[in-house]
Amino acid sequence: MTQKNLDDLSLRLLQFARDRDWQQFHSPKNLSMALTAEAGELLEHFQWLREEQSLSLSPEKKEQVALEMADILIYLLRLSERLDIDLLDAAYRKMAINAERYPADKVRGDARRAEEYD
Amino acid sequence: MTQKNLDDLSLRLLQFARDRDWQQFHSPKNLSMALTAEAGELLEHFQWLREEQSLSLSPEKKEQVALEMADILIYLLRLSERLDIDLLDAAYRKMAINAERYPADKVRGDARRAEEYD
Amino acid sequence: MTQKNLDDLSLRLLQFARDRDWQQFHSPKNLSMALTAEAGELLEHFQWLREEQSLSLSPEKKEQVALEMADILIYLLRLSERLDIDLLDAAYRKMAINAERYPADKVRGDARRAEEYD
Amino acid sequence: MTQKNLDDLSLRLLQFARDRDWQQFHSPKNLSMALTAEAGELLEHFQWLREEQSLSLSPEKKEQVALEMADILIYLLRLSERLDIDLLDAAYRKMAINAERYPADKVRGDARRAEEYD
Protein backbone atom coordinates (compact mmCIF):
# COMPACT_ATOMS: atom_id res chain seq x y z
CA MET A 1 0.00 0.00 0.00
CA THR A 2 1.20 3.48 -0.75
CA GLN A 3 1.88 5.88 2.10
CA LYS A 4 -1.28 7.17 3.74
CA ASN A 5 -1.71 10.85 3.08
CA LEU A 6 -4.38 13.30 1.92
CA ASP A 7 -3.28 13.33 -1.72
CA ASP A 8 -3.25 9.55 -1.97
CA LEU A 9 -6.63 9.32 -0.27
CA SER A 10 -8.10 11.96 -2.56
CA LEU A 11 -6.92 10.10 -5.65
CA ARG A 12 -8.37 6.84 -4.41
CA LEU A 13 -11.71 8.54 -3.74
CA LEU A 14 -11.72 9.98 -7.24
CA GLN A 15 -11.06 6.52 -8.67
CA PHE A 16 -13.80 5.07 -6.46
CA ALA A 17 -16.32 7.60 -7.85
CA ARG A 18 -15.21 7.05 -11.44
CA ASP A 19 -15.47 3.26 -11.13
CA ARG A 20 -19.11 3.71 -10.12
CA ASP A 21 -19.92 6.47 -12.60
CA TRP A 22 -20.75 8.69 -9.63
CA GLN A 23 -19.01 11.82 -10.89
CA GLN A 24 -22.36 12.88 -12.36
CA PHE A 25 -23.79 13.13 -8.81
CA HIS A 26 -20.72 14.80 -7.31
CA SER A 27 -21.41 18.44 -8.08
CA PRO A 28 -20.05 20.78 -5.38
CA LYS A 29 -23.65 21.60 -4.47
CA ASN A 30 -24.50 17.94 -3.87
CA LEU A 31 -21.24 17.23 -2.06
CA SER A 32 -21.85 20.14 0.32
CA MET A 33 -25.20 18.53 1.17
CA ALA A 34 -23.70 15.08 1.70
CA LEU A 35 -20.97 16.55 3.89
CA THR A 36 -23.49 18.41 6.05
CA ALA A 37 -25.72 15.34 6.36
CA GLU A 38 -22.68 13.47 7.74
CA ALA A 39 -21.99 16.33 10.15
CA GLY A 40 -25.57 15.87 11.34
CA GLU A 41 -24.86 12.21 12.06
CA LEU A 42 -21.82 13.24 14.06
CA LEU A 43 -23.97 15.65 16.08
CA GLU A 44 -26.46 12.90 16.80
CA HIS A 45 -23.83 10.94 18.70
CA PHE A 46 -23.26 13.84 21.07
CA GLN A 47 -26.64 15.53 21.36
CA TRP A 48 -27.82 14.02 24.65
CA LEU A 49 -24.37 13.71 26.28
CA ARG A 50 -22.98 16.12 28.83
CA GLU A 51 -19.74 17.75 27.67
CA GLU A 52 -17.80 15.61 30.12
CA GLN A 53 -19.36 12.42 28.79
CA SER A 54 -18.39 13.39 25.25
CA LEU A 55 -14.76 13.18 26.34
CA SER A 56 -14.93 9.57 27.50
CA LEU A 57 -16.67 7.52 24.85
CA SER A 58 -16.81 3.74 24.93
CA PRO A 59 -14.51 2.06 22.35
CA GLU A 60 -17.55 1.05 20.30
CA LYS A 61 -19.01 4.55 20.28
CA LYS A 62 -15.58 6.04 19.56
CA GLU A 63 -15.24 3.90 16.46
CA GLN A 64 -18.69 4.99 15.26
CA VAL A 65 -17.68 8.60 15.76
CA ALA A 66 -14.37 8.01 13.95
CA LEU A 67 -16.23 6.65 10.93
CA GLU A 68 -18.59 9.65 10.84
CA MET A 69 -15.55 11.92 10.92
CA ALA A 70 -14.06 9.85 8.12
CA ASP A 71 -17.17 10.46 6.02
CA ILE A 72 -16.81 14.19 6.53
CA LEU A 73 -13.14 14.12 5.49
CA ILE A 74 -14.05 12.00 2.47
CA TYR A 75 -16.60 14.54 1.25
CA LEU A 76 -14.20 17.42 1.98
CA LEU A 77 -11.64 15.76 -0.27
CA ARG A 78 -14.16 15.04 -3.03
CA LEU A 79 -15.23 18.67 -2.89
CA SER A 80 -11.60 19.84 -3.01
CA GLU A 81 -11.02 17.76 -6.09
CA ARG A 82 -14.12 19.00 -7.89
CA LEU A 83 -13.31 22.65 -7.12
CA ASP A 84 -9.56 22.29 -7.54
CA ILE A 85 -8.89 23.56 -4.03
CA ASP A 86 -5.79 22.65 -2.02
CA LEU A 87 -7.52 21.81 1.26
CA LEU A 88 -4.42 21.64 3.43
CA ASP A 89 -3.11 24.89 2.05
CA ALA A 90 -6.48 26.57 2.69
CA ALA A 91 -6.35 25.36 6.30
CA TYR A 92 -2.91 26.92 6.87
CA ARG A 93 -4.23 30.12 5.29
CA LYS A 94 -7.25 30.10 7.57
CA MET A 95 -5.06 29.50 10.63
CA ALA A 96 -3.05 32.60 9.77
CA ILE A 97 -6.27 34.62 9.48
CA ASN A 98 -7.47 33.31 12.84
CA ALA A 99 -4.15 34.18 14.48
CA GLU A 100 -4.67 37.81 13.45
CA ARG A 101 -8.34 37.87 14.33
CA TYR A 102 -7.93 36.33 17.77
CA PRO A 103 -4.72 37.63 19.40
CA ALA A 104 -3.96 35.39 22.36
CA ASP A 105 -3.70 38.32 24.76
CA LYS A 106 -7.11 39.63 23.83
CA VAL A 107 -9.21 36.50 23.82
CA ARG A 108 -7.64 34.28 26.46
CA GLY A 109 -10.31 32.17 28.14
CA ASP A 110 -13.08 33.83 26.15
CA ALA A 111 -14.96 32.07 23.39
CA ARG A 112 -17.05 34.90 22.04
CA ARG A 113 -16.98 35.28 18.31
CA ALA A 114 -14.74 37.80 16.63
CA GLU A 115 -17.51 40.20 15.67
CA GLU A 116 -18.58 40.46 19.28
CA TYR A 117 -15.27 41.96 20.40
CA ASP A 118 -15.59 45.41 18.90
CA MET B 1 8.14 26.55 8.00
CA THR B 2 7.83 22.85 8.57
CA GLN B 3 6.30 20.65 5.88
CA LYS B 4 2.57 21.06 5.53
CA ASN B 5 0.72 17.95 6.60
CA LEU B 6 -2.20 16.91 8.80
CA ASP B 7 -0.08 16.07 11.84
CA ASP B 8 1.77 19.37 11.75
CA LEU B 9 -1.49 21.27 11.28
CA SER B 10 -3.15 19.42 14.14
CA LEU B 11 -0.26 20.25 16.48
CA ARG B 12 -0.41 23.92 15.52
CA LEU B 13 -4.14 23.99 16.16
CA LEU B 14 -3.64 22.42 19.56
CA GLN B 15 -1.03 25.05 20.41
CA PHE B 16 -3.35 27.78 19.14
CA ALA B 17 -6.11 26.58 21.48
CA ARG B 18 -3.74 26.25 24.44
CA ASP B 19 -2.33 29.74 23.92
CA ARG B 20 -5.86 31.11 24.24
CA ASP B 21 -6.95 28.82 27.07
CA TRP B 22 -9.67 27.50 24.77
CA GLN B 23 -9.25 23.82 25.61
CA GLN B 24 -11.99 24.29 28.20
CA PHE B 25 -14.47 25.03 25.39
CA HIS B 26 -13.23 22.28 23.09
CA SER B 27 -15.20 19.31 24.34
CA PRO B 28 -16.07 16.85 21.55
CA LYS B 29 -19.71 17.83 21.98
CA ASN B 30 -18.95 21.52 21.39
CA LEU B 31 -16.53 20.81 18.54
CA SER B 32 -19.17 18.72 16.76
CA MET B 33 -21.47 21.75 16.96
CA ALA B 34 -18.84 24.16 15.66
CA LEU B 35 -18.00 21.80 12.81
CA THR B 36 -21.65 21.49 11.78
CA ALA B 37 -22.18 25.24 11.98
CA GLU B 38 -19.29 25.63 9.53
CA ALA B 39 -20.84 22.99 7.27
CA GLY B 40 -23.98 25.13 7.31
CA GLU B 41 -21.96 28.11 6.10
CA LEU B 42 -20.60 25.98 3.28
CA LEU B 43 -24.16 25.00 2.30
CA GLU B 44 -25.17 28.63 2.25
CA HIS B 45 -22.77 29.32 -0.60
CA PHE B 46 -24.42 26.68 -2.76
CA GLN B 47 -28.08 26.78 -1.74
CA TRP B 48 -29.46 28.91 -4.58
CA LEU B 49 -27.04 27.75 -7.27
CA ARG B 50 -27.88 25.19 -9.93
CA GLU B 51 -25.55 22.17 -9.81
CA GLU B 52 -23.81 23.37 -12.96
CA GLN B 53 -23.18 26.80 -11.44
CA SER B 54 -21.63 25.21 -8.37
CA LEU B 55 -18.91 23.82 -10.63
CA SER B 56 -17.78 27.20 -11.96
CA LEU B 57 -17.39 29.58 -9.06
CA SER B 58 -15.80 32.99 -9.40
CA PRO B 59 -12.27 33.20 -7.91
CA GLU B 60 -13.61 35.31 -5.04
CA LYS B 61 -16.40 32.88 -4.24
CA LYS B 62 -14.03 29.93 -4.59
CA GLU B 63 -11.72 31.43 -1.98
CA GLN B 64 -14.66 31.94 0.41
CA VAL B 65 -15.65 28.32 -0.10
CA ALA B 66 -12.05 27.18 0.44
CA LEU B 67 -11.94 28.98 3.78
CA GLU B 68 -15.23 27.39 4.91
CA MET B 69 -13.80 24.01 4.00
CA ALA B 70 -10.67 24.92 5.95
CA ASP B 71 -12.81 25.62 9.02
CA ILE B 72 -14.39 22.20 8.73
CA LEU B 73 -11.00 20.50 8.47
CA ILE B 74 -9.75 22.52 11.43
CA TYR B 75 -12.60 21.35 13.65
CA LEU B 76 -12.19 17.76 12.40
CA LEU B 77 -8.56 17.87 13.50
CA ARG B 78 -9.39 19.42 16.87
CA LEU B 79 -11.99 16.71 17.41
CA SER B 80 -9.49 14.01 16.41
CA GLU B 81 -7.02 15.32 18.91
CA ARG B 82 -9.54 15.49 21.76
CA LEU B 83 -10.81 11.96 21.08
CA ASP B 84 -7.41 10.51 20.18
CA ILE B 85 -8.62 9.38 16.76
CA ASP B 86 -6.32 8.95 13.76
CA LEU B 87 -8.47 10.75 11.18
CA LEU B 88 -6.57 9.67 8.09
CA ASP B 89 -6.52 6.09 9.22
CA ALA B 90 -10.26 6.19 9.89
CA ALA B 91 -10.83 7.51 6.36
CA TYR B 92 -8.91 4.62 4.81
CA ARG B 93 -10.91 2.24 7.00
CA LYS B 94 -14.17 3.83 5.88
CA MET B 95 -13.12 3.63 2.24
CA ALA B 96 -12.60 -0.12 2.61
CA ILE B 97 -16.08 -0.45 4.15
CA ASN B 98 -17.59 1.53 1.30
CA ALA B 99 -15.82 -0.62 -1.28
CA GLU B 100 -17.56 -3.68 0.16
CA ARG B 101 -20.91 -1.97 0.59
CA TYR B 102 -21.02 -0.52 -2.91
CA PRO B 103 -19.51 -3.00 -5.41
CA ALA B 104 -18.86 -1.11 -8.64
CA ASP B 105 -20.80 -3.61 -10.73
CA LYS B 106 -23.89 -3.31 -8.59
CA VAL B 107 -24.18 0.43 -8.13
CA ARG B 108 -22.78 1.90 -11.34
CA GLY B 109 -24.57 5.14 -12.17
CA ASP B 110 -26.93 4.77 -9.25
CA ALA B 111 -26.76 6.96 -6.17
CA ARG B 112 -29.30 5.28 -3.95
CA ARG B 113 -28.18 4.59 -0.44
CA ALA B 114 -26.91 1.19 0.57
CA GLU B 115 -29.93 0.27 2.64
CA GLU B 116 -32.16 0.79 -0.36
CA TYR B 117 -30.49 -1.94 -2.38
CA ASP B 118 -31.79 -4.97 -0.57
CA MET C 1 -59.28 15.25 20.13
CA THR C 2 -58.77 18.97 20.57
CA GLN C 3 -58.20 21.18 17.56
CA LYS C 4 -54.79 20.74 15.97
CA ASN C 5 -52.65 23.81 16.39
CA LEU C 6 -49.13 24.81 17.43
CA ASP C 7 -50.04 25.57 21.05
CA ASP C 8 -51.81 22.26 21.53
CA LEU C 9 -48.95 20.38 19.90
CA SER C 10 -46.38 22.17 22.04
CA LEU C 11 -48.26 21.28 25.23
CA ARG C 12 -48.48 17.64 24.19
CA LEU C 13 -44.75 17.56 23.47
CA LEU C 14 -44.02 19.04 26.89
CA GLN C 15 -46.18 16.39 28.53
CA PHE C 16 -44.47 13.70 26.45
CA ALA C 17 -41.06 14.85 27.70
CA ARG C 18 -42.23 15.10 31.31
CA ASP C 19 -43.77 11.62 31.24
CA ARG C 20 -40.37 10.26 30.26
CA ASP C 21 -38.32 12.47 32.58
CA TRP C 22 -36.58 13.85 29.49
CA GLN C 23 -36.67 17.52 30.51
CA GLN C 24 -33.18 16.98 31.96
CA PHE C 25 -31.86 16.33 28.43
CA HIS C 26 -33.81 19.12 26.79
CA SER C 27 -31.51 22.08 27.34
CA PRO C 28 -31.67 24.60 24.48
CA LYS C 29 -28.11 23.61 23.58
CA ASN C 30 -29.07 19.95 23.21
CA LEU C 31 -32.31 20.71 21.41
CA SER C 32 -30.45 22.86 18.86
CA MET C 33 -28.24 19.83 18.16
CA ALA C 34 -31.17 17.44 17.81
CA LEU C 35 -32.96 19.87 15.49
CA THR C 36 -29.89 20.22 13.27
CA ALA C 37 -29.34 16.45 13.18
CA GLU C 38 -32.92 16.12 11.89
CA ALA C 39 -32.24 18.82 9.29
CA GLY C 40 -29.29 16.69 8.18
CA GLU C 41 -31.63 13.72 7.69
CA LEU C 42 -33.89 15.92 5.57
CA LEU C 43 -30.88 16.93 3.43
CA GLU C 44 -29.98 13.30 2.94
CA HIS C 45 -33.25 12.67 1.11
CA PHE C 46 -32.44 15.35 -1.43
CA GLN C 47 -28.66 15.25 -1.78
CA TRP C 48 -28.38 13.20 -4.95
CA LEU C 49 -31.60 14.40 -6.60
CA ARG C 50 -31.74 17.03 -9.33
CA GLU C 51 -33.84 20.02 -8.34
CA GLU C 52 -36.60 18.88 -10.68
CA GLN C 53 -36.67 15.42 -9.10
CA SER C 54 -37.01 16.95 -5.66
CA LEU C 55 -40.36 18.38 -6.78
CA SER C 56 -41.90 15.03 -7.71
CA LEU C 57 -41.27 12.57 -4.90
CA SER C 58 -42.90 9.17 -4.75
CA PRO C 59 -45.68 8.92 -2.11
CA GLU C 60 -43.41 6.75 0.05
CA LYS C 61 -40.50 9.17 -0.12
CA LYS C 62 -42.82 12.12 0.44
CA GLU C 63 -44.08 10.56 3.67
CA GLN C 64 -40.49 10.01 4.86
CA VAL C 65 -39.73 13.65 4.11
CA ALA C 66 -42.91 14.76 5.90
CA LEU C 67 -41.84 12.88 9.03
CA GLU C 68 -38.36 14.45 8.96
CA MET C 69 -39.99 17.85 8.69
CA ALA C 70 -42.25 16.89 11.59
CA ASP C 71 -39.16 16.12 13.69
CA ILE C 72 -37.77 19.56 12.95
CA LEU C 73 -41.03 21.26 13.94
CA ILE C 74 -41.16 19.15 17.09
CA TYR C 75 -37.71 20.29 18.21
CA LEU C 76 -38.51 23.90 17.25
CA LEU C 77 -41.52 23.75 19.56
CA ARG C 78 -39.58 22.12 22.39
CA LEU C 79 -36.93 24.83 22.05
CA SER C 80 -39.61 27.55 22.04
CA GLU C 81 -41.06 26.16 25.23
CA ARG C 82 -37.70 25.95 27.01
CA LEU C 83 -36.74 29.49 25.99
CA ASP C 84 -40.24 30.94 26.40
CA ILE C 85 -40.28 32.16 22.79
CA ASP C 86 -43.48 32.66 20.80
CA LEU C 87 -42.39 30.92 17.60
CA LEU C 88 -45.25 32.06 15.39
CA ASP C 89 -44.89 35.63 16.55
CA ALA C 90 -41.15 35.51 15.86
CA ALA C 91 -41.86 34.28 12.33
CA TYR C 92 -44.19 37.20 11.61
CA ARG C 93 -41.53 39.54 13.03
CA LYS C 94 -38.89 37.97 10.78
CA MET C 95 -41.14 38.26 7.73
CA ALA C 96 -41.47 42.00 8.36
CA ILE C 97 -37.68 42.31 8.59
CA ASN C 98 -37.27 40.38 5.33
CA ALA C 99 -39.82 42.61 3.59
CA GLU C 100 -37.68 45.62 4.41
CA ARG C 101 -34.41 43.90 3.59
CA TYR C 102 -35.54 42.55 0.24
CA PRO C 103 -37.80 45.07 -1.51
CA ALA C 104 -39.56 43.25 -4.34
CA ASP C 105 -38.48 45.82 -6.93
CA LYS C 106 -34.84 45.47 -6.01
CA VAL C 107 -34.41 41.73 -5.77
CA ARG C 108 -36.89 40.33 -8.31
CA GLY C 109 -35.51 37.12 -9.79
CA ASP C 110 -32.27 37.44 -7.87
CA ALA C 111 -31.38 35.16 -4.98
CA ARG C 112 -28.20 36.80 -3.75
CA ARG C 113 -28.02 37.39 -0.06
CA ALA C 114 -28.83 40.79 1.42
CA GLU C 115 -25.24 41.67 2.28
CA GLU C 116 -24.22 41.18 -1.31
CA TYR C 117 -26.46 43.97 -2.57
CA ASP C 118 -24.53 46.94 -1.28
CA MET D 1 -54.36 41.88 10.46
CA THR D 2 -55.76 38.41 10.11
CA GLN D 3 -55.30 35.93 12.93
CA LYS D 4 -51.77 34.64 13.23
CA ASN D 5 -51.57 30.97 12.38
CA LEU D 6 -49.49 28.56 10.31
CA ASP D 7 -51.80 28.62 7.28
CA ASP D 8 -51.90 32.40 7.14
CA LEU D 9 -48.13 32.60 7.54
CA SER D 10 -47.57 30.03 4.83
CA LEU D 11 -49.78 31.95 2.40
CA ARG D 12 -47.94 35.18 3.13
CA LEU D 13 -44.59 33.48 2.55
CA LEU D 14 -45.82 32.12 -0.77
CA GLN D 15 -46.93 35.61 -1.81
CA PHE D 16 -43.58 37.01 -0.67
CA ALA D 17 -41.73 34.53 -2.88
CA ARG D 18 -44.02 35.16 -5.86
CA ASP D 19 -43.65 38.93 -5.57
CA ARG D 20 -39.91 38.48 -5.92
CA ASP D 21 -40.02 35.77 -8.58
CA TRP D 22 -38.20 33.50 -6.16
CA GLN D 23 -40.31 30.40 -6.78
CA GLN D 24 -37.70 29.38 -9.35
CA PHE D 25 -35.11 29.05 -6.56
CA HIS D 26 -37.45 27.33 -4.12
CA SER D 27 -37.10 23.71 -5.15
CA PRO D 28 -37.43 21.31 -2.21
CA LYS D 29 -33.74 20.49 -2.64
CA ASN D 30 -32.71 24.12 -2.30
CA LEU D 31 -35.13 24.79 0.56
CA SER D 32 -33.72 21.83 2.50
CA MET D 33 -30.29 23.43 2.15
CA ALA D 34 -31.49 26.86 3.26
CA LEU D 35 -33.28 25.33 6.24
CA THR D 36 -30.17 23.44 7.33
CA ALA D 37 -27.97 26.50 6.91
CA GLU D 38 -30.31 28.33 9.30
CA ALA D 39 -30.11 25.42 11.73
CA GLY D 40 -26.34 25.86 11.60
CA GLU D 41 -26.74 29.51 12.60
CA LEU D 42 -28.89 28.42 15.53
CA LEU D 43 -26.17 25.96 16.61
CA GLU D 44 -23.59 28.71 16.46
CA HIS D 45 -25.37 30.62 19.23
CA PHE D 46 -25.08 27.66 21.58
CA GLN D 47 -21.83 25.98 20.61
CA TRP D 48 -19.58 27.40 23.31
CA LEU D 49 -22.21 27.66 26.05
CA ARG D 50 -22.64 25.18 28.87
CA GLU D 51 -26.07 23.57 28.91
CA GLU D 52 -27.01 25.64 31.93
CA GLN D 53 -26.02 28.87 30.20
CA SER D 54 -28.17 27.98 27.22
CA LEU D 55 -31.20 28.15 29.50
CA SER D 56 -30.61 31.74 30.63
CA LEU D 57 -29.89 33.86 27.58
CA SER D 58 -29.74 37.64 27.69
CA PRO D 59 -32.78 39.36 26.13
CA GLU D 60 -30.65 40.44 23.16
CA LYS D 61 -29.32 36.94 22.55
CA LYS D 62 -32.77 35.45 23.05
CA GLU D 63 -34.18 37.69 20.31
CA GLN D 64 -31.36 36.63 17.95
CA VAL D 65 -32.16 32.99 18.69
CA ALA D 66 -35.89 33.62 18.16
CA LEU D 67 -35.20 35.06 14.71
CA GLU D 68 -33.03 32.07 13.73
CA MET D 69 -35.85 29.78 14.83
CA ALA D 70 -38.23 31.91 12.77
CA ASP D 71 -36.05 31.35 9.71
CA ILE D 72 -36.24 27.61 10.22
CA LEU D 73 -40.03 27.69 10.54
CA ILE D 74 -40.23 29.89 7.44
CA TYR D 75 -38.29 27.39 5.35
CA LEU D 76 -40.29 24.48 6.81
CA LEU D 77 -43.48 26.19 5.64
CA ARG D 78 -42.09 26.98 2.20
CA LEU D 79 -41.04 23.35 1.87
CA SER D 80 -44.49 22.17 3.00
CA GLU D 81 -46.12 24.34 0.36
CA ARG D 82 -43.85 23.12 -2.43
CA LEU D 83 -44.36 19.47 -1.51
CA ASP D 84 -48.03 19.82 -0.58
CA ILE D 85 -47.42 18.46 2.92
CA ASP D 86 -49.61 19.33 5.91
CA LEU D 87 -46.84 20.09 8.39
CA LEU D 88 -48.95 20.22 11.52
CA ASP D 89 -50.70 17.00 10.61
CA ALA D 90 -47.35 15.31 10.00
CA ALA D 91 -46.17 16.43 13.44
CA TYR D 92 -49.19 14.86 15.15
CA ARG D 93 -48.56 11.70 13.14
CA LYS D 94 -44.91 11.66 14.21
CA MET D 95 -45.87 12.19 17.85
CA ALA D 96 -48.09 9.10 17.69
CA ILE D 97 -45.19 7.10 16.23
CA ASN D 98 -42.88 8.33 18.98
CA ALA D 99 -45.41 7.41 21.66
CA GLU D 100 -45.32 3.82 20.44
CA ARG D 101 -41.58 3.74 19.97
CA TYR D 102 -40.75 5.18 23.36
CA PRO D 103 -43.19 3.86 25.98
CA ALA D 104 -42.83 6.03 29.07
CA ASP D 105 -42.27 3.04 31.36
CA LYS D 106 -39.42 1.74 29.26
CA VAL D 107 -37.42 4.87 28.57
CA ARG D 108 -37.94 7.03 31.65
CA GLY D 109 -34.83 9.11 32.31
CA ASP D 110 -32.95 7.50 29.45
CA ALA D 111 -32.14 9.34 26.24
CA ARG D 112 -30.71 6.52 24.17
CA ARG D 113 -32.07 6.24 20.70
CA ALA D 114 -34.81 3.74 19.86
CA GLU D 115 -32.57 1.37 17.92
CA GLU D 116 -30.28 1.03 20.92
CA TYR D 117 -32.99 -0.49 23.08
CA ASP D 118 -33.28 -3.89 21.50
Side-chain angles (χ1 to χ4, degrees), chain C residues 4 8 19-20 22 27-30 46 49 51 54 63 71 89 92-94 102 108-110, chain D residues 4 8 19-20 22 27-29 46 49 51 54 62-63 71 89 92-94 102 108-110:
Chain C
K4 290 182 183 178
D8 174 70
D19 288 347
R20 283 153 188 77
W22 280 358
S27 64
K29 180 184 180 93
N30 289 4
F46 293 118
L49 299 186
E51 285 187 58
S54 77
E63 177 62 7
D71 281 326
D89 200 67
Y92 277 87
R93 239 167 27 245
K94 188 60 199 291
Y102 305 102
R108 188 163 289 120
D110 187 339
Chain D
K4 290 183 184 178
D8 173 70
D19 289 347
R20 283 153 190 77
W22 279 358
S27 64
K29 181 184 180 91
F46 294 119
L49 300 186
E51 285 186 57
S54 77
K62 186 176 146 180
E63 176 61 7
D71 281 326
D89 200 67
Y92 278 87
R93 234 159 41 239
K94 189 61 200 290
Y102 305 102
R108 189 163 289 120
D110 187 338

Side-chain angles (χ1 to χ4, degrees), chain A residues 9-48:
Chain A
L9 179 57
S10 184
L11 272 175
R12 287 167 184 267
L13 291 167
L14 173 58
Q15 194 56 52
F16 188 92
R18 282 187 176 149
D19 289 347
R20 284 154 187 77
D21 196 15
W22 281 358
Q23 286 287 73
Q24 58 181 313
F25 303 114
H26 286 189
S27 63
K29 180 184 181 91
N30 289 4
L31 291 167
S32 75
M33 296 176 78
L35 188 158
T36 308
E38 297 297 343
E41 293 185 23
L42 181 68
L43 268 187
E44 211 176 335
H45 284 287
F46 294 119
Q47 66 196 11
W48 306 127

Side-chain angles (χ1 to χ4, degrees), chain A residues 1-13, chain B residues 92:
Chain A
M1 190 188 220
T2 59
Q3 204 197 347
K4 289 183 184 178
N5 62 55
L6 279 189
D7 289 338
D8 174 70
L9 179 57
S10 184
L11 272 175
R12 287 167 184 267
L13 291 167
Chain B
Y92 276 87

Side-chain angles (χ1 to χ4, degrees), chain A residues 76-111:
Chain A
L76 265 185
L77 289 173
R78 292 297 301 123
L79 197 48
S80 300
E81 184 267 324
R82 292 319 301 272
L83 289 171
D84 195 23
I85 283 171
D86 184 322
L87 179 61
L88 200 52
D89 200 67
Y92 278 87
R93 244 171 19 250
K94 189 60 199 291
M95 255 209 85
I97 291 170
N98 286 344
E100 258 192 62
R101 192 179 290 175
Y102 306 102
D105 288 345
K106 195 171 166 204
V107 303
R108 188 165 289 119
D110 187 340

Side-chain angles (χ1 to χ4, degrees), chain B residues 47-73:
Chain B
Q47 66 196 12
W48 307 126
L49 299 186
R50 310 281 304 176
E51 286 187 56
E52 294 68 27
Q53 293 174 308
S54 77
L55 270 161
S56 54
L57 305 178
S58 69
E60 189 190 29
K61 183 92 162 174
K62 186 176 147 180
E63 177 62 7
Q64 292 170 356
V65 165
L67 293 178
E68 305 290 7
M69 293 168 62
D71 280 326
I72 296 170
L73 181 61

Side-chain angles (χ1 to χ4, degrees), chain B residues 60-118:
Chain B
E60 189 190 29
K61 183 92 162 174
K62 186 176 147 180
E63 177 62 7
Q64 292 170 356
V65 165
L67 293 178
E68 305 290 7
M69 293 168 62
D71 280 326
I72 296 170
L73 181 61
I74 283 170
Y75 283 122
L76 265 185
L77 289 173
R78 291 297 300 124
L79 196 48
S80 300
E81 184 266 325
R82 292 320 300 270
L83 289 171
D84 194 23
I85 283 171
D86 185 321
L87 179 62
L88 201 52
D89 200 68
Y92 276 87
R93 238 165 30 244
K94 189 60 199 292
M95 253 208 87
I97 293 171
N98 286 344
E100 258 193 62
R101 192 180 291 175
Y102 305 102
D105 288 343
K106 195 172 165 202
V107 303
R108 189 162 291 119
D110 187 339
R112 283 175 300 165
R113 290 180 285 167
E115 63 265 33
E116 297 177 14
Y117 281 101
D118 301 316

Side-chain angles (χ1 to χ4, degrees), chain C residues 8-31:
Chain C
D8 174 70
L9 179 57
S10 185
L11 272 175
R12 285 166 186 268
L13 292 167
L14 173 57
Q15 194 56 51
F16 188 93
R18 281 186 178 148
D19 288 347
R20 283 153 188 77
D21 197 14
W22 280 358
Q23 286 286 73
Q24 60 181 312
F25 303 114
H26 286 189
S27 64
K29 180 184 180 93
N30 289 4
L31 290 168

